[in-house]
Amino acid sequence: MTAGDSAAFSVTYLEQLQKALDFIRDGNRFLVVSHVQPDGDAISSTIVVGWLLEQLGKQAVLMNEGKVPVRLQFMDRSAMIINYSLSQPTEKFDRIIAIDCADFRRIGLVSTLFTEDAQLLNIDHHPTNDAFGAANLIRVDAAATVEILYDLIEHGAIPLDKEAATAVYTGLLTDTGGFRYSNTTPRVMHIASRMLAEGAPAHFIANLLLEKMTKAQLLILQRGLSRLLFSEDNKIASLYITYADMAETGAVGDDLEGLVNYALNVEGVEVGILLKETENGEVKVSMRSAGMVDVSAIAQSFGGGGHVRAAGCRLEHGILETTTLVVNAVREALDK
């Protein structure tokens, strides 16, 4: 880490970086896990931690409850990430690194592989994180968890290579919406530039993740937009996808990436909402805010979490009832 970087960070954060590094150096074999239904930052962070452990001579088992989205499988180490939903190992782990998980519940069923005395390092950037680890490395102003991992790599003076640079760049690109969201800070751009210098194939990644669209993704977008609804003052926009939609179009969860932004990006809209019906009848809610509303607070009120401008939750109601509940909560927040 450069002197400039150190000066910009608080003493507490620098202490967290050292404790995280000590946690890794004190162990030998680690289970690395991110949240259920992993997204770009979660998968990229998993790969970066796997790479980091290898550089330090440690053993790593990479695992998630959920598969690696197809569009992220271009990263070589992604093939090493075990999908717990398809394969349940019998091995128990006493050293855990949880990444990009706002709370312990987000780890999902992988937590059944933890020993009773397991020690856990919690690395995350969500402001709703409740510091559930024995050691916690949390920076809520980081754009993505990979940004924190970059800090850790720099703090440990570990040389970067193309593999690590590609994963860090991918995590930054996805969690900043292609460097368009408000979390695109000067530091994010500095790190992105550094990753390009280390060999990250920026054009390839951007084309794959921001430009390409599957046929199923286009069909699900068509259905979602046909149901786009606005509040009376046009400040709230919502759309929904049923489980039947997913089955009939052949879409997978990854095909919904960015769909909520179509609601948010309409001029005058302050909060965009996407509701997705799951196979068991639950409704997964994704919310995006233009800035007037803290959607993480709304998500928390329903048992979820996230960021001020991007958050989510799950409700055990039908789509129509869930829509009413969430829209009313957003309306109350707008009226404050």
Side-chain angles (χ1 to χ4, degrees), residues 70 211-220 250-252 254-255:
V70 173
E211 302 296 334
K212 293 293 184 182
M213 180 180 289
T214 65
K215 182 179 179 181
Q217 190 174 7
L218 181 61
L219 292 174
I220 209 71
V252 295
D254 191 38
D255 291 320

Side-chain angles (χ1 to χ4, degrees), residues 212-251:
K212 293 293 184 182
M213 180 180 289
T214 65
K215 182 179 179 181
Q217 190 174 7
L218 181 61
L219 292 174
I220 209 71
L221 171 62
Q222 184 181 45
R223 295 198 182 197
L225 291 180
S226 71
R227 300 171 181 142
L228 187 60
L229 297 175
F230 297 89
S231 60
E232 299 84 352
D233 57 5
N234 293 318
K235 290 185 178 180
I236 308 170
S238 65
L239 63 163
Y240 68 86
I241 297 295
T242 67
Y243 181 70
D245 291 331
M246 301 294 287
E248 291 166 8
T249 61

Side-chain angles (χ1 to χ4, degrees), residues 5-15:
D5 287 337
S6 297
F9 294 142
S10 69
V11 173
T12 299
Y13 183 61
L14 291 173
E15 290 174 347

Side-chain angles (χ1 to χ4, degrees), residues 47-78:
I47 289 171
V48 174
V49 173
W51 172 89
L52 174 60
L53 291 170
E54 183 178 280
Q55 305 311 301
L56 295 175
K58 310 297 181 178
Q59 297 179 358
V61 175
L62 313 181
M63 191 178 303
N64 268 109
E65 183 185 335
K67 69 177 183 179
V68 176
V70 173
R71 67 195 187 105
L72 297 171
Q73 292 176 11
F74 70 93
M75 291 181 281
D76 292 340
R77 205 174 291 255
S78 67

Side-chain angles (χ1 to χ4, degrees), residues 92-96 111-120:
K92 297 287 185 177
F93 299 87
D94 60 5
R95 302 288 284 188
I96 317 297
S111 64
T112 61
L113 300 180
F114 301 177
T115 63
E116 290 186 5
D117 60 346
Q119 295 293 299
L120 187 148

Side-chain angles (χ1 to χ4, degrees), residues 277-299:
E277 182 184 43
T278 64
E279 184 176 6
N280 63 9
E282 291 182 340
V283 176
K284 181 180 178 182
V285 181
S286 297
M287 292 177 282
R288 298 293 183 270
S289 171
M292 285 184 63
V293 174
D294 178 358
V295 290
S296 70
I298 297 172

Side-chain angles (χ1 to χ4, degrees), residues 4-5 8-9 139 141-143 147 150-151 169 172 176 179-195:
D5 287 337
F9 294 142
R139 183 157 76 84
D141 63 339
E147 183 177 344
Y150 172 81
D151 296 341
Y169 187 89
L172 290 176
T176 61
F179 306 112
R180 294 173 299 170
Y181 298 163
S182 62
N183 59 352
T184 306
T185 63
R187 179 162 176 75
V188 165
M189 299 310 291
H190 166 74
I191 297 172
S193 176
R194 171 86 188 279
M195 297 307 99

